[in-house]
Amino acid sequence: MTETIRIIGIDPGLRRTGWGIIETLGNSLRFLASGTVTSDGDMDLASRLCQLHDGLAEVVHAYRPDEAAVEQTFVNKDAVATLKLGQARGIAMLVPARAGLPVSEYAPNAVKKSVIGVGHGEKQQIHMMLKILMPKATFTGNDAADALAIAICHAHHRGGQRMRAVLAG
């Protein structure tokens, strides 16, 4: 029996954390909503993390997803920036986990491959494919678009994850 699953995709960032909500039924995808939670760059780090937490918690509460997917971080040359991104990513994983959702993680290349067919691509390619896959999708900016792409990636991979879990258990 096939059931509708509501997925939240989260693209973590300290300034802007993108989110996108889709529903999947079998192979079909349906856009529900997307947006960005922002933090005030003039505030201290702890306050900014609280802003991200509270904003993301509001989204999870409002849309009641069944599952969550978060993009894995990449390590760049700026260790301080990587650490701060990791903290924002912790919030992006904590909020859905505290709401009782299973949280999956995907590498950026896996997300791109799921949406545009190759592991490396431009933001415009992702935007174009989002419009093809979900013509009613609306998103403002790259963060919300990336979050939708993460949700789509999870929709494509979730069946395989469940099967692996059953076989391993």
Side-chain angles (χ1 to χ4, degrees):
M1 184 163 114
T2 306
E3 61 181 315
T4 300
I5 302 295
R6 187 172 288 189
I7 300 169
I8 181 170
I10 304 171
D11 181 32
L14 185 57
R15 289 187 194 135
R16 292 175 307 278
T17 290
W19 59 270
I21 311 279
I22 66 169
E23 284 184 340
T24 179
L25 177 61
N27 290 330
S28 68
L29 300 173
R30 185 168 74 100
F31 168 79
L32 290 183
S34 69
T36 306
V37 175
T38 60
S39 72
D40 183 346
D42 293 331
M43 296 179 79
D44 63 279
L45 179 60
S47 297
R48 293 178 74 185
L49 293 172
C50 282
Q51 287 178 319
L52 294 176
H53 175 278
D54 294 349
L56 206 48
E58 285 178 23
V59 172
V60 168
H61 179 74
Y63 290 98
R64 304 240 182 254
D66 301 304
E67 300 176 4
V70 178
E71 188 171 66
Q72 293 174 342
T73 55
F74 59 92
V75 177
N76 59 32
K77 294 177 185 172
D78 184 351
V80 173
T82 300
L83 182 59
K84 287 180 180 179
L85 177 59
Q87 291 168 326
R89 188 169 172 278
I91 297 297
M93 295 181 72
L94 173 70
V95 169
R98 294 281 305 187
L101 306 180
V103 180
S104 298
E105 303 172 64
Y106 297 96
N109 287 350
V111 172
K112 288 177 183 173
K113 188 167 186 168
S114 290
V115 176
I116 62 176
V118 293
H120 300 282
E122 301 297 321
K123 297 286 185 185
Q124 291 311 104
Q125 289 175 294
I126 292 172
H127 292 204
M128 183 182 70
M129 283 305 297
L130 287 174
K131 286 297 191 180
I132 291 170
L133 294 170
M134 297 181 301
K136 295 182 180 180
T138 58
F139 44 88
T140 53
N142 291 333
D143 303 297
D146 287 350
L148 285 170
I150 294 161
I152 290 169
C153 176
H154 180 65
H156 290 170
H157 289 89
R158 64 181 297 280
Q161 288 179 336
R162 280 191 329 221
M163 183 59 73
R164 283 189 294 278
V166 168
L167 294 174

PDB file of all heavy atoms in Angstrom, residues 3-40:
ATOM      1  N   GLU A   3       1.492   5.244   0.568  1.00  0.00           N
ATOM      2  CA  GLU A   3       0.955   6.337   1.358  1.00  0.00           C
ATOM      3  C   GLU A   3       1.692   7.628   1.031  1.00  0.00           C
ATOM      4  O   GLU A   3       2.840   7.611   0.602  1.00  0.00           O
ATOM      5  CB  GLU A   3       1.056   6.030   2.848  1.00  0.00           C
ATOM      6  CG  GLU A   3       2.504   5.819   3.312  1.00  0.00           C
ATOM      7  CD  GLU A   3       2.610   5.489   4.782  1.00  0.00           C
ATOM      8  OE1 GLU A   3       1.947   6.138   5.593  1.00  0.00           O
ATOM      9  OE2 GLU A   3       3.379   4.574   5.105  1.00  0.00           O
ATOM     10  N   THR A   4       1.012   8.735   1.252  1.00  0.00           N
ATOM     11  CA  THR A   4       1.635  10.040   1.034  1.00  0.00           C
ATOM     12  C   THR A   4       2.597  10.316   2.182  1.00  0.00           C
ATOM     13  O   THR A   4       2.240  10.173   3.346  1.00  0.00           O
ATOM     14  CB  THR A   4       0.558  11.138   0.972  1.00  0.00           C
ATOM     15  OG1 THR A   4      -0.328  10.844  -0.116  1.00  0.00           O
ATOM     16  CG2 THR A   4       1.198  12.503   0.752  1.00  0.00           C
ATOM     17  N   ILE A   5       3.808  10.707   1.836  1.00  0.00           N
ATOM     18  CA  ILE A   5       4.829  11.043   2.821  1.00  0.00           C
ATOM     19  C   ILE A   5       5.200  12.503   2.631  1.00  0.00           C
ATOM     20  O   ILE A   5       5.512  12.942   1.519  1.00  0.00           O
ATOM     21  CB  ILE A   5       6.100  10.161   2.652  1.00  0.00           C
ATOM     22  CG1 ILE A   5       5.751   8.679   2.778  1.00  0.00           C
ATOM     23  CG2 ILE A   5       7.185  10.574   3.637  1.00  0.00           C
ATOM     24  CD1 ILE A   5       5.246   8.246   4.120  1.00  0.00           C
ATOM     25  N   ARG A   6       5.169  13.249   3.708  1.00  0.00           N
ATOM     26  CA  ARG A   6       5.553  14.671   3.681  1.00  0.00           C
ATOM     27  C   ARG A   6       6.998  14.778   4.153  1.00  0.00           C
ATOM     28  O   ARG A   6       7.352  14.287   5.226  1.00  0.00           O
ATOM     29  CB  ARG A   6       4.625  15.476   4.581  1.00  0.00           C
ATOM     30  CG  ARG A   6       4.859  16.964   4.467  1.00  0.00           C
ATOM     31  CD  ARG A   6       3.811  17.731   5.199  1.00  0.00           C
ATOM     32  NE  ARG A   6       2.550  17.646   4.453  1.00  0.00           N
ATOM     33  CZ  ARG A   6       1.474  18.351   4.750  1.00  0.00           C
ATOM     34  NH1 ARG A   6       1.488  19.180   5.773  1.00  0.00           N
ATOM     35  NH2 ARG A   6       0.387  18.231   4.034  1.00  0.00           N
ATOM     36  N   ILE A   7       7.817  15.423   3.330  1.00  0.00           N
ATOM     37  CA  ILE A   7       9.258  15.521   3.591  1.00  0.00           C
ATOM     38  C   ILE A   7       9.660  16.985   3.694  1.00  0.00           C
ATOM     39  O   ILE A   7       9.259  17.806   2.862  1.00  0.00           O
ATOM     40  CB  ILE A   7      10.067  14.856   2.454  1.00  0.00           C
ATOM     41  CG1 ILE A   7       9.697  13.377   2.334  1.00  0.00           C
ATOM     42  CG2 ILE A   7      11.569  15.040   2.663  1.00  0.00           C
ATOM     43  CD1 ILE A   7      10.235  12.708   1.075  1.00  0.00           C
ATOM     44  N   ILE A   8      10.472  17.293   4.703  1.00  0.00           N
ATOM     45  CA  ILE A   8      11.096  18.617   4.779  1.00  0.00           C
ATOM     46  C   ILE A   8      12.570  18.455   4.415  1.00  0.00           C
ATOM     47  O   ILE A   8      13.266  17.590   4.955  1.00  0.00           O
ATOM     48  CB  ILE A   8      10.942  19.281   6.167  1.00  0.00           C
ATOM     49  CG1 ILE A   8      11.591  20.685   6.157  1.00  0.00           C
ATOM     50  CG2 ILE A   8      11.516  18.411   7.284  1.00  0.00           C
ATOM     51  CD1 ILE A   8      11.298  21.537   7.379  1.00  0.00           C
ATOM     52  N   GLY A   9      13.011  19.244   3.456  1.00  0.00           N
ATOM     53  CA  GLY A   9      14.423  19.326   3.111  1.00  0.00           C
ATOM     54  C   GLY A   9      14.980  20.579   3.749  1.00  0.00           C
ATOM     55  O   GLY A   9      14.312  21.622   3.755  1.00  0.00           O
ATOM     56  N   ILE A  10      16.173  20.475   4.315  1.00  0.00           N
ATOM     57  CA  ILE A  10      16.776  21.614   5.015  1.00  0.00           C
ATOM     58  C   ILE A  10      18.188  21.838   4.490  1.00  0.00           C
ATOM     59  O   ILE A  10      19.008  20.926   4.474  1.00  0.00           O
ATOM     60  CB  ILE A  10      16.805  21.379   6.541  1.00  0.00           C
ATOM     61  CG1 ILE A  10      15.392  21.086   7.068  1.00  0.00           C
ATOM     62  CG2 ILE A  10      17.420  22.576   7.251  1.00  0.00           C
ATOM     63  CD1 ILE A  10      15.336  20.628   8.514  1.00  0.00           C
ATOM     64  N   ASP A  11      18.447  23.077   4.069  1.00  0.00           N
ATOM     65  CA  ASP A  11      19.776  23.499   3.615  1.00  0.00           C
ATOM     66  C   ASP A  11      20.345  24.406   4.696  1.00  0.00           C
ATOM     67  O   ASP A  11      20.005  25.583   4.769  1.00  0.00           O
ATOM     68  CB  ASP A  11      19.670  24.236   2.285  1.00  0.00           C
ATOM     69  CG  ASP A  11      21.024  24.678   1.760  1.00  0.00           C
ATOM     70  OD1 ASP A  11      22.021  23.971   2.008  1.00  0.00           O
ATOM     71  OD2 ASP A  11      21.086  25.738   1.111  1.00  0.00           O
ATOM     72  N   PRO A  12      21.188  23.865   5.589  1.00  0.00           N
ATOM     73  CA  PRO A  12      21.632  24.653   6.742  1.00  0.00           C
ATOM     74  C   PRO A  12      22.607  25.760   6.383  1.00  0.00           C
ATOM     75  O   PRO A  12      23.447  25.620   5.492  1.00  0.00           O
ATOM     76  CB  PRO A  12      22.306  23.617   7.640  1.00  0.00           C
ATOM     77  CG  PRO A  12      22.601  22.445   6.784  1.00  0.00           C
ATOM     78  CD  PRO A  12      21.722  22.515   5.584  1.00  0.00           C
ATOM     79  N   GLY A  13      22.468  26.858   7.091  1.00  0.00           N
ATOM     80  CA  GLY A  13      23.373  27.988   6.969  1.00  0.00           C
ATOM     81  C   GLY A  13      23.191  28.886   8.166  1.00  0.00           C
ATOM     82  O   GLY A  13      22.096  28.945   8.737  1.00  0.00           O
ATOM     83  N   LEU A  14      24.233  29.563   8.579  1.00  0.00           N
ATOM     84  CA  LEU A  14      24.129  30.431   9.749  1.00  0.00           C
ATOM     85  C   LEU A  14      23.368  31.712   9.431  1.00  0.00           C
ATOM     86  O   LEU A  14      22.576  32.186  10.235  1.00  0.00           O
ATOM     87  CB  LEU A  14      25.522  30.762  10.300  1.00  0.00           C
ATOM     88  CG  LEU A  14      25.541  31.570  11.600  1.00  0.00           C
ATOM     89  CD1 LEU A  14      24.766  30.851  12.707  1.00  0.00           C
ATOM     90  CD2 LEU A  14      26.976  31.823  12.042  1.00  0.00           C
ATOM     91  N   ARG A  15      23.570  32.262   8.258  1.00  0.00           N
ATOM     92  CA  ARG A  15      22.811  33.462   7.861  1.00  0.00           C
ATOM     93  C   ARG A  15      21.411  33.108   7.393  1.00  0.00           C
ATOM     94  O   ARG A  15      20.438  33.748   7.762  1.00  0.00           O
ATOM     95  CB  ARG A  15      23.530  34.203   6.737  1.00  0.00           C
ATOM     96  CG  ARG A  15      24.773  34.895   7.169  1.00  0.00           C
ATOM     97  CD  ARG A  15      25.344  35.742   6.031  1.00  0.00           C
ATOM     98  NE  ARG A  15      26.699  36.122   6.367  1.00  0.00           N
ATOM     99  CZ  ARG A  15      27.717  36.063   5.548  1.00  0.00           C
ATOM    100  NH1 ARG A  15      27.543  35.659   4.305  1.00  0.00           N
ATOM    101  NH2 ARG A  15      28.908  36.412   5.941  1.00  0.00           N
ATOM    102  N   ARG A  16      21.348  32.099   6.530  1.00  0.00           N
ATOM    103  CA  ARG A  16      20.078  31.679   5.941  1.00  0.00           C
ATOM    104  C   ARG A  16      20.013  30.160   5.909  1.00  0.00           C
ATOM    105  O   ARG A  16      20.889  29.519   5.331  1.00  0.00           O
ATOM    106  CB  ARG A  16      19.952  32.208   4.506  1.00  0.00           C
ATOM    107  CG  ARG A  16      19.819  33.711   4.397  1.00  0.00           C
ATOM    108  CD  ARG A  16      19.811  34.172   2.938  1.00  0.00           C
ATOM    109  NE  ARG A  16      20.936  33.674   2.166  1.00  0.00           N
ATOM    110  CZ  ARG A  16      22.161  34.225   2.152  1.00  0.00           C
ATOM    111  NH1 ARG A  16      22.396  35.296   2.871  1.00  0.00           N
ATOM    112  NH2 ARG A  16      23.114  33.718   1.411  1.00  0.00           N
ATOM    113  N   THR A  17      18.973  29.617   6.518  1.00  0.00           N
ATOM    114  CA  THR A  17      18.708  28.188   6.446  1.00  0.00           C
ATOM    115  C   THR A  17      17.478  28.006   5.571  1.00  0.00           C
ATOM    116  O   THR A  17      16.390  28.481   5.909  1.00  0.00           O
ATOM    117  CB  THR A  17      18.483  27.588   7.857  1.00  0.00           C
ATOM    118  OG1 THR A  17      19.729  27.603   8.557  1.00  0.00           O
ATOM    119  CG2 THR A  17      17.971  26.159   7.772  1.00  0.00           C
ATOM    120  N   GLY A  18      17.669  27.349   4.440  1.00  0.00           N
ATOM    121  CA  GLY A  18      16.556  27.113   3.526  1.00  0.00           C
ATOM    122  C   GLY A  18      15.759  25.903   3.947  1.00  0.00           C
ATOM    123  O   GLY A  18      16.301  24.959   4.526  1.00  0.00           O
ATOM    124  N   TRP A  19      14.466  25.940   3.660  1.00  0.00           N
ATOM    125  CA  TRP A  19      13.605  24.787   3.924  1.00  0.00           C
ATOM    126  C   TRP A  19      12.633  24.622   2.769  1.00  0.00           C
ATOM    127  O   TRP A  19      12.266  25.586   2.110  1.00  0.00           O
ATOM    128  CB  TRP A  19      12.861  24.918   5.265  1.00  0.00           C
ATOM    129  CG  TRP A  19      11.987  26.140   5.378  1.00  0.00           C
ATOM    130  CD1 TRP A  19      12.361  27.363   5.852  1.00  0.00           C
ATOM    131  CD2 TRP A  19      10.621  26.267   4.989  1.00  0.00           C
ATOM    132  NE1 TRP A  19      11.298  28.237   5.785  1.00  0.00           N
ATOM    133  CE2 TRP A  19      10.217  27.586   5.267  1.00  0.00           C
ATOM    134  CE3 TRP A  19       9.695  25.379   4.429  1.00  0.00           C
ATOM    135  CZ2 TRP A  19       8.932  28.053   4.991  1.00  0.00           C
ATOM    136  CZ3 TRP A  19       8.408  25.841   4.162  1.00  0.00           C
ATOM    137  CH2 TRP A  19       8.046  27.158   4.459  1.00  0.00           C
ATOM    138  N   GLY A  20      12.271  23.379   2.510  1.00  0.00           N
ATOM    139  CA  GLY A  20      11.309  23.073   1.458  1.00  0.00           C
ATOM    140  C   GLY A  20      10.496  21.869   1.866  1.00  0.00           C
ATOM    141  O   GLY A  20      11.036  20.906   2.405  1.00  0.00           O
ATOM    142  N   ILE A  21       9.197  21.940   1.636  1.00  0.00           N
ATOM    143  CA  ILE A  21       8.281  20.860   2.006  1.00  0.00           C
ATOM    144  C   ILE A  21       7.660  20.292   0.728  1.00  0.00           C
ATOM    145  O   ILE A  21       7.113  21.045  -0.081  1.00  0.00           O
ATOM    146  CB  ILE A  21       7.140  21.353   2.913  1.00  0.00           C
ATOM    147  CG1 ILE A  21       7.666  22.183   4.082  1.00  0.00           C
ATOM    148  CG2 ILE A  21       6.252  20.193   3.350  1.00  0.00           C
ATOM    149  CD1 ILE A  21       8.190  21.412   5.238  1.00  0.00           C
ATOM    150  N   ILE A  22       7.774  18.976   0.567  1.00  0.00           N
ATOM    151  CA  ILE A  22       7.133  18.289  -0.551  1.00  0.00           C
ATOM    152  C   ILE A  22       6.343  17.098  -0.015  1.00  0.00           C
ATOM    153  O   ILE A  22       6.562  16.663   1.120  1.00  0.00           O
ATOM    154  CB  ILE A  22       8.144  17.809  -1.618  1.00  0.00           C
ATOM    155  CG1 ILE A  22       9.070  16.727  -1.045  1.00  0.00           C
ATOM    156  CG2 ILE A  22       8.941  18.978  -2.181  1.00  0.00           C
ATOM    157  CD1 ILE A  22       9.908  16.007  -2.093  1.00  0.00           C
ATOM    158  N   GLU A  23       5.448  16.607  -0.841  1.00  0.00           N
ATOM    159  CA  GLU A  23       4.793  15.339  -0.556  1.00  0.00           C
ATOM    160  C   GLU A  23       5.122  14.393  -1.698  1.00  0.00           C
ATOM    161  O   GLU A  23       5.207  14.805  -2.851  1.00  0.00           O
ATOM    162  CB  GLU A  23       3.275  15.510  -0.450  1.00  0.00           C
ATOM    163  CG  GLU A  23       2.841  16.130   0.852  1.00  0.00           C
ATOM    164  CD  GLU A  23       1.342  16.222   1.010  1.00  0.00           C
ATOM    165  OE1 GLU A  23       0.608  16.164  -0.007  1.00  0.00           O
ATOM    166  OE2 GLU A  23       0.909  16.359   2.167  1.00  0.00           O
ATOM    167  N   THR A  24       5.296  13.133  -1.335  1.00  0.00           N
ATOM    168  CA  THR A  24       5.568  12.118  -2.339  1.00  0.00           C
ATOM    169  C   THR A  24       4.562  10.992  -2.180  1.00  0.00           C
ATOM    170  O   THR A  24       4.252  10.574  -1.066  1.00  0.00           O
ATOM    171  CB  THR A  24       7.025  11.594  -2.236  1.00  0.00           C
ATOM    172  OG1 THR A  24       7.240  10.596  -3.219  1.00  0.00           O
ATOM    173  CG2 THR A  24       7.351  11.038  -0.876  1.00  0.00           C
ATOM    174  N   LEU A  25       4.036  10.559  -3.290  1.00  0.00           N
ATOM    175  CA  LEU A  25       3.115   9.430  -3.337  1.00  0.00           C
ATOM    176  C   LEU A  25       3.573   8.567  -4.500  1.00  0.00           C
ATOM    177  O   LEU A  25       3.464   8.973  -5.664  1.00  0.00           O
ATOM    178  CB  LEU A  25       1.671   9.896  -3.544  1.00  0.00           C
ATOM    179  CG  LEU A  25       0.616   8.795  -3.690  1.00  0.00           C
ATOM    180  CD1 LEU A  25       0.554   7.925  -2.430  1.00  0.00           C
ATOM    181  CD2 LEU A  25      -0.744   9.395  -3.975  1.00  0.00           C
ATOM    182  N   GLY A  26       4.146   7.428  -4.177  1.00  0.00           N
ATOM    183  CA  GLY A  26       4.744   6.610  -5.229  1.00  0.00           C
ATOM    184  C   GLY A  26       5.882   7.384  -5.872  1.00  0.00           C
ATOM    185  O   GLY A  26       6.787   7.847  -5.189  1.00  0.00           O
ATOM    186  N   ASN A  27       5.800   7.574  -7.187  1.00  0.00           N
ATOM    187  CA  ASN A  27       6.832   8.331  -7.900  1.00  0.00           C
ATOM    188  C   ASN A  27       6.472   9.790  -8.102  1.00  0.00           C
ATOM    189  O   ASN A  27       7.245  10.536  -8.699  1.00  0.00           O
ATOM    190  CB  ASN A  27       7.093   7.690  -9.274  1.00  0.00           C
ATOM    191  CG  ASN A  27       7.789   6.356  -9.146  1.00  0.00           C
ATOM    192  OD1 ASN A  27       8.547   6.135  -8.214  1.00  0.00           O
ATOM    193  ND2 ASN A  27       7.514   5.454 -10.069  1.00  0.00           N
ATOM    194  N   SER A  28       5.302  10.206  -7.649  1.00  0.00           N
ATOM    195  CA  SER A  28       4.891  11.595  -7.886  1.00  0.00           C
ATOM    196  C   SER A  28       5.341  12.498  -6.738  1.00  0.00           C
ATOM    197  O   SER A  28       5.371  12.088  -5.572  1.00  0.00           O
ATOM    198  CB  SER A  28       3.376  11.685  -8.071  1.00  0.00           C
ATOM    199  OG  SER A  28       2.721  11.396  -6.862  1.00  0.00           O
ATOM    200  N   LEU A  29       5.684  13.713  -7.109  1.00  0.00           N
ATOM    201  CA  LEU A  29       6.120  14.727  -6.146  1.00  0.00           C
ATOM    202  C   LEU A  29       5.158  15.900  -6.207  1.00  0.00           C
ATOM    203  O   LEU A  29       4.719  16.286  -7.288  1.00  0.00           O
ATOM    204  CB  LEU A  29       7.523  15.232  -6.502  1.00  0.00           C
ATOM    205  CG  LEU A  29       8.652  14.209  -6.524  1.00  0.00           C
ATOM    206  CD1 LEU A  29       9.919  14.853  -7.068  1.00  0.00           C
ATOM    207  CD2 LEU A  29       8.886  13.643  -5.135  1.00  0.00           C
ATOM    208  N   ARG A  30       4.873  16.470  -5.043  1.00  0.00           N
ATOM    209  CA  ARG A  30       4.001  17.635  -4.997  1.00  0.00           C
ATOM    210  C   ARG A  30       4.624  18.684  -4.088  1.00  0.00           C
ATOM    211  O   ARG A  30       4.983  18.396  -2.941  1.00  0.00           O
ATOM    212  CB  ARG A  30       2.620  17.258  -4.490  1.00  0.00           C
ATOM    213  CG  ARG A  30       1.629  18.408  -4.545  1.00  0.00           C
ATOM    214  CD  ARG A  30       0.210  17.930  -4.308  1.00  0.00           C
ATOM    215  NE  ARG A  30      -0.048  17.589  -2.934  1.00  0.00           N
ATOM    216  CZ  ARG A  30      -0.675  18.395  -2.068  1.00  0.00           C
ATOM    217  NH1 ARG A  30      -1.114  19.563  -2.447  1.00  0.00           N
ATOM    218  NH2 ARG A  30      -0.865  18.003  -0.834  1.00  0.00           N
ATOM    219  N   PHE A  31       4.761  19.891  -4.610  1.00  0.00           N
ATOM    220  CA  PHE A  31       5.295  21.017  -3.850  1.00  0.00           C
ATOM    221  C   PHE A  31       4.249  21.509  -2.859  1.00  0.00           C
ATOM    222  O   PHE A  31       3.084  21.662  -3.199  1.00  0.00           O
ATOM    223  CB  PHE A  31       5.665  22.159  -4.812  1.00  0.00           C
ATOM    224  CG  PHE A  31       5.960  23.451  -4.128  1.00  0.00           C
ATOM    225  CD1 PHE A  31       7.187  23.669  -3.529  1.00  0.00           C
ATOM    226  CD2 PHE A  31       5.009  24.460  -4.064  1.00  0.00           C
ATOM    227  CE1 PHE A  31       7.459  24.869  -2.891  1.00  0.00           C
ATOM    228  CE2 PHE A  31       5.268  25.660  -3.428  1.00  0.00           C
ATOM    229  CZ  PHE A  31       6.503  25.866  -2.840  1.00  0.00           C
ATOM    230  N   LEU A  32       4.682  21.763  -1.615  1.00  0.00           N
ATOM    231  CA  LEU A  32       3.791  22.355  -0.621  1.00  0.00           C
ATOM    232  C   LEU A  32       4.222  23.770  -0.253  1.00  0.00           C
ATOM    233  O   LEU A  32       3.409  24.689  -0.281  1.00  0.00           O
ATOM    234  CB  LEU A  32       3.723  21.498   0.644  1.00  0.00           C
ATOM    235  CG  LEU A  32       3.014  20.165   0.516  1.00  0.00           C
ATOM    236  CD1 LEU A  32       2.966  19.461   1.856  1.00  0.00           C
ATOM    237  CD2 LEU A  32       1.616  20.341  -0.031  1.00  0.00           C
ATOM    238  N   ALA A  33       5.493  23.936   0.104  1.00  0.00           N
ATOM    239  CA  ALA A  33       5.952  25.264   0.543  1.00  0.00           C
ATOM    240  C   ALA A  33       7.475  25.283   0.590  1.00  0.00           C
ATOM    241  O   ALA A  33       8.127  24.240   0.625  1.00  0.00           O
ATOM    242  CB  ALA A  33       5.386  25.593   1.925  1.00  0.00           C
ATOM    243  N   SER A  34       8.015  26.496   0.614  1.00  0.00           N
ATOM    244  CA  SER A  34       9.455  26.660   0.809  1.00  0.00           C
ATOM    245  C   SER A  34       9.712  28.045   1.380  1.00  0.00           C
ATOM    246  O   SER A  34       8.851  28.918   1.320  1.00  0.00           O
ATOM    247  CB  SER A  34      10.222  26.481  -0.502  1.00  0.00           C
ATOM    248  OG  SER A  34       9.950  27.545  -1.387  1.00  0.00           O
ATOM    249  N   GLY A  35      10.893  28.220   1.928  1.00  0.00           N
ATOM    250  CA  GLY A  35      11.239  29.516   2.486  1.00  0.00           C
ATOM    251  C   GLY A  35      12.627  29.495   3.091  1.00  0.00           C
ATOM    252  O   GLY A  35      13.391  28.539   2.913  1.00  0.00           O
ATOM    253  N   THR A  36      12.921  30.539   3.822  1.00  0.00           N
ATOM    254  CA  THR A  36      14.226  30.696   4.433  1.00  0.00           C
ATOM    255  C   THR A  36      14.059  31.239   5.843  1.00  0.00           C
ATOM    256  O   THR A  36      13.288  32.172   6.068  1.00  0.00           O
ATOM    257  CB  THR A  36      15.095  31.677   3.620  1.00  0.00           C
ATOM    258  OG1 THR A  36      15.130  31.225   2.259  1.00  0.00           O
ATOM    259  CG2 THR A  36      16.506  31.746   4.140  1.00  0.00           C
ATOM    260  N   VAL A  37      14.777  30.642   6.769  1.00  0.00           N
ATOM    261  CA  VAL A  37      14.858  31.156   8.134  1.00  0.00           C
ATOM    262  C   VAL A  37      16.178  31.914   8.217  1.00  0.00           C
ATOM    263  O   VAL A  37      17.218  31.397   7.816  1.00  0.00           O
ATOM    264  CB  VAL A  37      14.835  30.013   9.171  1.00  0.00           C
ATOM    265  CG1 VAL A  37      15.035  30.550  10.575  1.00  0.00           C
ATOM    266  CG2 VAL A  37      13.547  29.222   9.070  1.00  0.00           C
ATOM    267  N   THR A  38      16.137  33.143   8.702  1.00  0.00           N
ATOM    268  CA  THR A  38      17.351  33.956   8.754  1.00  0.00           C
ATOM    269  C   THR A  38      17.734  34.274  10.194  1.00  0.00           C
ATOM    270  O   THR A  38      16.903  34.225  11.105  1.00  0.00           O
ATOM    271  CB  THR A  38      17.164  35.280   7.995  1.00  0.00           C
ATOM    272  OG1 THR A  38      16.091  36.003   8.586  1.00  0.00           O
ATOM    273  CG2 THR A  38      16.884  35.035   6.529  1.00  0.00           C
ATOM    274  N   SER A  39      19.006  34.585  10.376  1.00  0.00           N
ATOM    275  CA  SER A  39      19.479  35.049  11.683  1.00  0.00           C
ATOM    276  C   SER A  39      20.099  36.432  11.501  1.00  0.00           C
ATOM    277  O   SER A  39      20.555  36.788  10.414  1.00  0.00           O
ATOM    278  CB  SER A  39      20.497  34.072  12.282  1.00  0.00           C
ATOM    279  OG  SER A  39      21.730  34.138  11.592  1.00  0.00           O
ATOM    280  N   ASP A  40      20.091  37.184  12.565  1.00  0.00           N
ATOM    281  CA  ASP A  40      20.601  38.554  12.582  1.00  0.00           C
ATOM    282  C   ASP A  40      22.117  38.526  12.762  1.00  0.00           C
ATOM    283  O   ASP A  40      22.611  38.171  13.842  1.00  0.00           O
ATOM    284  CB  ASP A  40      19.934  39.334  13.710  1.00  0.00           C
ATOM    285  CG  ASP A  40      20.352  40.792  13.767  1.00  0.00           C
ATOM    286  OD1 ASP A  40      21.349  41.179  13.109  1.00  0.00           O
ATOM    287  OD2 ASP A  40      19.681  41.550  14.486  1.00  0.00           O
TER     288      ASP A  40
END
